[in-house]
Amino acid sequence: MQIFNSPTRYGAVAQSLHWFAVALVILAWVLGVSDDLLPKGPARATGLYIHIAAGLLVIVLTIVRLLYRTADPSPPAEKTEFGDGSFAGWMGLGAKLAHVGLYVLLVAVPLVGIAVQFARGDALPVFGLFDIASPWPADRAFARSLKGIHELLAHGLLALAGLHAAAALLHHWVFGDRTLTRMLPESDADR
């Protein structure tokens, strides 16, 4: 398996960063939407702790991904043949806007989540290493407002990620190009 990106596919580093981010986002989202289902006490506190840790890791991972992209640029987009070719330009623009939106939301959702924690007057646990004290006094109304924004952005992130995945599947099954497979581990058929 190739470690770095090539002109035709993503390398193991880029693939790992991508799929690890996917797993963290799903974990954080599931814990976020199911927090009220957990019994009060240690189970709910552990769920919140993992939710926060996953969100912090998403921020770190997103920064690492963006820095990595400057050192090892992504392969160029697959050439997609469809109709008279005019649709390909729109698809390329849509893909670029979706990627920008994903990166913005990957940072914005956890940042707003941090603000929720602080608005509650609670410290932010950082991977069990240390806590960052809230810079604000507790304000329940403000915390509720921020939580609503956090949830809305998180759902938007999942929706945009779903469209991103659907577009990859569309490329694979309808257009027959390698958009999807170049972000998957290389198989014997790819060699």
Side-chain angles (χ1 to χ4, degrees):
M1 169 177 256
Q2 70 187 44
I3 301 298
F4 303 107
N5 297 337
S6 75
T8 58
R9 64 181 296 110
Y10 291 93
V13 174
Q15 288 180 25
S16 297
L17 292 171
H18 175 270
W19 292 110
F20 190 41
V22 169
L24 286 171
V25 166
I26 291 170
L27 173 65
W29 184 81
V30 167
L31 287 171
V33 298
S34 64
D35 67 334
D36 290 338
L37 301 176
L38 296 171
K40 289 184 179 181
R44 190 174 290 184
T46 300
L48 178 61
Y49 176 81
I50 294 169
H51 176 79
I52 290 169
L56 292 173
L57 279 172
V58 166
I59 293 173
V60 170
L61 197 60
T62 301
I63 292 167
V64 169
R65 284 179 76 186
L66 291 170
L67 292 172
Y68 183 77
R69 282 180 66 136
T70 63
D72 189 14
S74 300
E78 286 285 305
K79 300 288 187 242
T80 301
E81 300 298 326
F82 185 76
D84 63 0
S86 61
F87 187 63
W90 286 104
M91 285 192 325
L93 177 62
K96 286 179 181 167
L97 290 174
H99 280 103
V100 168
L102 285 168
Y103 281 118
V104 166
L105 288 171
L106 284 168
V107 173
V109 172
L111 287 179
V112 175
I114 291 168
V116 170
Q117 186 75 356
F118 287 158
R120 290 176 174 156
D122 296 333
L124 179 72
V126 181
F127 309 120
L129 301 172
F130 58 91
D131 291 350
I132 299 173
S134 174
W136 311 317
D139 183 337
R140 291 176 55 125
F142 183 50
R144 267 194 308 278
S145 295
L146 284 176
K147 186 176 181 195
I149 294 168
H150 179 63
E151 290 171 352
L152 182 66
L153 292 175
H155 294 321
L157 173 58
L158 262 285
L160 189 55
L163 287 173
H164 174 68
L169 293 171
L170 179 75
H171 274 272
H172 186 71
W173 287 327
V174 175
F175 302 138
D177 64 33
R178 298 181 65 243
T179 298
L180 173 66
T181 58
R182 63 196 203 142
M183 186 48 88
L184 298 174
E186 200 170 17
S187 68
D188 290 335
D190 293 331
R191 293 185 183 123

